[in-house]
Amino acid sequence: MEIPDHSSDEGITDGLKIVSYALNSKGEYELTPDFVWSPVNVANHQAWREIEKQITKSREKVAAGRVSCLHYYMIANQMDTGLLAQYTGQPRWKVCLHLIPFIFNRLPASTLKNYAKLYKISPDDLIKGRLRPPIYNPE
Amino acid sequence: MPDFSHSQSAHCESGVAANLLTHQGINISEAMAFGIGGGLFFGYLPFIRINGLPLVTYRAAAGHILQQIAAIPGVRMVQKKFRNRDEAMAELDRALAASIPVGLQTGVYWLPYFPKALRFHFNAHNLVVYGKEGDEYLISDPVFPKPVRCQADDLVRARFASGALAPKGKMYYLAQVPEKLERRHLIVRGIQAVSKMMLGSPFPLIGVRGIRFLAKRLGKWPQRLGQERADLHLGHVVRMQEEIGTGGGGFRFMYAAFLQESAAVMQEHRLQDCASSMTAAGDTWREFAAMAARICKDRARSDDSYAAMVASIHRCAAMEEKVFAELQKWTKQHS
């Protein structure tokens, strides 16, 4: 791969300048900064679109009362029931039960606190069903 | 302020290895660390799923490079894993108090200084902590241009991320290094290990056979999964190949840089030729990725198709088979 004479836009890295290996004019490899190859951007945008699609779907389900707001937080933080179970130190079937609104509304404060701590929100947000942005996107 | 010479690199693990060694007075480039650590690999493992998509890997398993570096005669590396969070942080603080820079395995998702777009649940990211100020740790993250800072709170989360490849608080530092690194022998050993893996694997899913297997499967994706899912799978392969941490072309360019450097160390023009062929293989991988990206974006040109991509991956397989056969022959003469 030869060094291109223009640098591509910031794209996926949000302005982070990365380095890649590229051949210079003498045919020697060097680390060149500020070079994000555009097909990577395409693939990464595709992945994020897919995540956003799932988040929107989850929001609709929560609004319709088919799942608890925990489902939204799980999906928004790119987790599945297995990963959430590992993070909170519970068996998976319990997490699955907690996604049902009827059961979620009757959870003890300690369990809610556990979830709230993981997602850096207050237990009150979970009780009131407020949907805050995921952890990587504080507003 | 503690002193640590931070230099940016393309891949986190080889970058950490090179930075730690350089700190101890052994000047070594990232590509060289990658090569003698035997970092190159290929594996298509569809039974391991990442976000529901099959695992494609262009590099050795996480931790492999460091293991190889630790096995160099004269090098002693202390590695620890923890169950208890407080204990893990206390041990880190103790090492920092003795002004030892410490390497950590972390989960990217919990590191606040990472750009939003890269925050996936990926747990094998390596970085070096070299100091502490108040409640903040000073971090030399090899994929960043400058040293960064991170709150203790967030670092604990990152060190104890769950899921695949969970770091379990893993930390490591160099306790002892030889005065001079005998590179020639290490280079031969590194190349030997990689070519053996790429050519002689008994499993059809890794090495050159793995590349061909991927080509076969990829050709069938549109019929098996439908167009939308197939494009998603394709985008995933491109990301594994080209995303930050690969140095481009699925680590092939980094390996070519290593071969080039080795050619100079060993005074061996055959390695230089292999470096050129490796670059060609990397370029072919990029050709494939560019075509895949056009298909994902619905901007396919007239000659872009899954069949064309299959052909291009087969070309990669053939090129790499040739390079590694040549390298294997070369190592046999030198060991």
Side-chain angles (χ1 to χ4, degrees):
Chain A
M1 192 70 210
E2 276 159 33
I3 301 172
D5 31 314
H6 61 89
S7 57
S8 49
D9 62 318
E10 294 177 351
I12 54 159
T13 52
D14 290 346
L16 166 69
K17 295 214 166 106
I18 62 154
V19 289
S20 296
Y21 283 87
L23 288 171
N24 65 15
S25 53
K26 278 180 270 169
E28 290 160 354
Y29 269 98
E30 54 180 46
L31 272 173
T32 45
D34 200 359
F35 170 47
V36 176
W37 198 50
S38 64
V40 194
N41 280 340
V42 174
N44 217 319
H45 282 307
Q46 184 198 33
W48 279 101
R49 260 203 316 278
E50 184 64 22
I51 290 170
E52 271 152 27
K53 223 192 280 174
Q54 282 176 14
I55 294 178
T56 315
K57 232 191 263 170
S58 168
R59 272 177 189 277
E60 284 164 7
K61 273 192 191 166
V62 173
R66 282 169 54 208
V67 292
S68 69
C69 67
L70 182 64
H71 186 267
Y72 162 80
Y73 282 107
M74 182 179 86
I75 297 294
N77 288 286
Q78 300 169 32
M79 294 180 177
D80 56 17
T81 46
L83 191 55
L84 180 52
Q86 277 184 36
Y87 268 113
T88 50
Q90 310 174 86
R92 191 170 167 179
W93 59 267
K94 268 196 181 172
V95 173
C96 290
L97 286 182
H98 297 169
L99 297 179
I100 302 167
F102 179 83
I103 295 170
F104 183 77
N105 293 337
R106 285 159 180 74
L107 282 184
S110 59
T111 313
L112 286 178
K113 213 173 118 195
N114 201 355
Y115 284 128
K117 203 175 133 211
L118 175 65
Y119 295 128
K120 289 194 179 172
I121 51 176
S122 69
D124 199 45
D125 290 334
L126 285 173
I127 294 167
K128 300 255 168 67
R130 276 193 288 264
L131 305 185
R132 297 206 176 271
I135 209 148
Y136 50 80
N137 205 9
E139 271 162 29
Chain B
M1 180 90 122
D3 192 37
F4 187 75
S5 65
H6 170 82
S7 63
Q8 194 179 10
S9 47
H11 175 45
C12 64
E13 196 175 330
S14 50
V16 162
N19 280 348
L20 283 178
L21 282 170
T22 305
H23 181 79
Q24 298 277 355
I26 295 185
N27 256 316
I28 186 170
S29 72
E30 184 209 3
M32 186 53 82
F34 182 75
I36 61 182
L40 199 80
F41 187 65
F42 184 89
Y44 173 66
L45 309 170
F47 47 86
I48 301 176
R49 297 265 150 180
I50 298 175
N51 297 328
L53 298 167
L55 175 75
V56 185
T57 175
Y58 292 81
R59 50 173 267 199
H64 182 81
I65 297 175
L66 287 165
Q67 240 172 40
Q68 295 298 311
I69 298 281
I72 295 174
V75 172
R76 200 162 67 82
M77 188 186 270
V78 179
Q79 293 195 46
K80 281 177 193 157
K81 284 190 175 186
F82 299 89
R83 285 206 181 154
N84 184 301
R85 293 174 179 228
D86 297 331
E87 211 176 283
M89 291 318 265
E91 185 70 32
L92 172 64
D93 289 346
R94 259 201 297 284
L96 290 177
S99 54
I100 303 170
V102 180
L104 295 181
Q105 188 187 337
T106 53
V108 168
Y109 191 78
W110 305 101
L111 292 173
Y113 62 83
F114 251 74
K116 172 187 170 259
L118 297 176
R119 292 182 71 173
F120 296 103
H121 287 284
F122 170 68
N123 287 337
H125 182 65
N126 288 278
L127 49 82
V128 176
V129 182
Y130 64 94
K132 189 180 185 184
E133 271 184 14
D135 209 23
E136 268 185 340
Y137 285 93
L138 309 176
I139 292 174
S140 150
D141 193 314
V143 299
F144 282 75
K146 292 242 156 54
V148 289
R149 282 158 180 268
C150 180
Q151 291 285 334
D153 221 31
D154 293 313
L155 193 63
V156 179
R157 276 171 179 250
R159 290 185 71 186
F160 284 91
S162 303
L165 301 172
K168 300 200 174 93
K170 182 176 163 191
M171 66 178 254
Y172 47 87
Y173 54 85
L174 291 171
Q176 194 190 338
V177 291
E179 270 184 18
K180 218 172 148 286
L181 214 55
E182 183 37 69
R183 291 187 193 202
R184 301 174 69 94
H185 171 66
L186 296 174
I187 289 170
V188 174
R189 213 186 57 174
I191 294 177
Q192 210 165 25
V194 170
S195 30
K196 191 175 163 199
M197 195 121 68
M198 288 301 286
L199 296 175
S201 158
F203 302 106
L205 301 180
I206 61 182
V208 173
R209 291 176 74 189
I211 302 179
R212 300 215 161 97
F213 188 83
L214 168 68
K216 205 168 92 188
R217 281 295 180 91
L218 190 137
K220 289 183 193 153
W221 281 345
Q223 297 100 8
R224 274 186 55 213
L225 306 162
Q227 199 60 45
E228 197 185 331
R229 292 280 299 159
D231 287 355
L232 214 57
H233 276 61
L234 200 58
H236 181 71
V237 175
V238 173
R239 270 176 54 215
M240 292 290 128
Q241 183 185 319
E242 297 289 345
E243 194 144 84
I244 294 175
T246 65
F251 296 92
R252 268 57 189 167
F253 294 138
M254 202 191 296
Y255 204 72
F258 157 67
L259 291 176
Q260 201 170 53
E261 212 184 315
S262 306
V265 173
M266 310 279 290
Q267 306 272 327
E268 178 70 78
H269 66 94
R270 277 168 76 189
L271 285 182
Q272 181 62 46
D273 297 343
C274 288
S276 309
S277 322
M278 203 67 198
T279 307
D283 283 338
T284 313
W285 278 111
R286 281 225 149 153
E287 239 166 63
F288 151 71
M291 196 188 288
R294 287 197 295 270
I295 288 180
C296 289
K297 221 177 171 185
D298 279 332
R299 293 227 185 110
R301 295 183 192 153
S302 56
D303 53 350
D304 289 351
S305 66
Y306 275 77
M309 285 190 291
V310 170
S312 130
I313 297 177
H314 273 301
R315 264 205 307 283
C316 293
M319 283 164 126
E320 292 196 6
E321 194 167 32
K322 225 171 109 196
V323 180
F324 284 112
E326 173 69 21
L327 283 172
Q328 204 164 38
K329 232 187 320 174
W330 178 80
T331 52
K332 275 195 187 129
Q333 291 164 4
H334 281 260
S335 54

